[in-house]
């Protein structure tokens, strides 16, 4: 039997991946609870500022809040790598 480990910990500040493409500042969400949805790790998230319940999110929908919003030249596959 395979054991699934959770990627994020309780109290960690996250944001939705879709917010990276948004022009507005992404919402800060806090992991309030961890569980499983259809056999996959999922997280119950609340708004960091208000504590309002936002819902359940799968790991592939989330990323740490501190992640850069735009790729650096080294991460950008379209960059010419200085050539």
């Amino acid at each position: 039997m395979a054991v699934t480990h959770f990627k994020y910990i309780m109290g960690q500040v996250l944001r939705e991946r879709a917010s990276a493409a948004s022009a507005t500042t992404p919402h800060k969400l806090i992991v309030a609870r961890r569980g499983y949805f259809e056999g996959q790790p999922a997280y119950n998230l609340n708004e960091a500022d208000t504590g309002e319940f936002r819902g359940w999110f799968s790991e592939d929908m989330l990323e740490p809040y501190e992640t850069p919003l735009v790729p650096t030249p080294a991460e950008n596959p379209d960059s010419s790598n200085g050539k």
Side-chain angles (χ1 to χ4, degrees):
M1 177 197 229
V3 176
T4 303
H5 297 283
F6 287 95
K7 187 175 182 178
Y8 303 114
I9 59 173
M10 300 289 288
Q12 187 171 358
V13 180
L14 305 172
R15 68 174 179 206
E16 290 182 73
R17 285 186 189 264
S19 68
S22 168
T24 62
T25 304
H27 291 275
K28 284 186 179 181
L29 305 170
I30 295 183
V31 177
R33 196 168 113 194
R34 299 183 302 187
Y36 291 93
F37 179 74
E38 296 182 355
Q40 300 298 317
Y43 302 87
N44 177 314
L45 301 178
N46 294 340
E47 288 279 345
D49 297 332
T50 64
E52 181 181 345
F53 174 71
R54 285 290 306 268
W56 284 93
F57 295 80
S58 64
E59 280 189 353
D60 62 346
M61 296 172 62
L62 302 167
E63 63 187 0
Y65 190 81
E66 295 80 22
T67 302
L69 292 174
V70 292
T72 62
E75 296 171 336
N76 189 346
D78 296 331
S79 70
S80 62
N81 293 328
K83 294 180 182 177

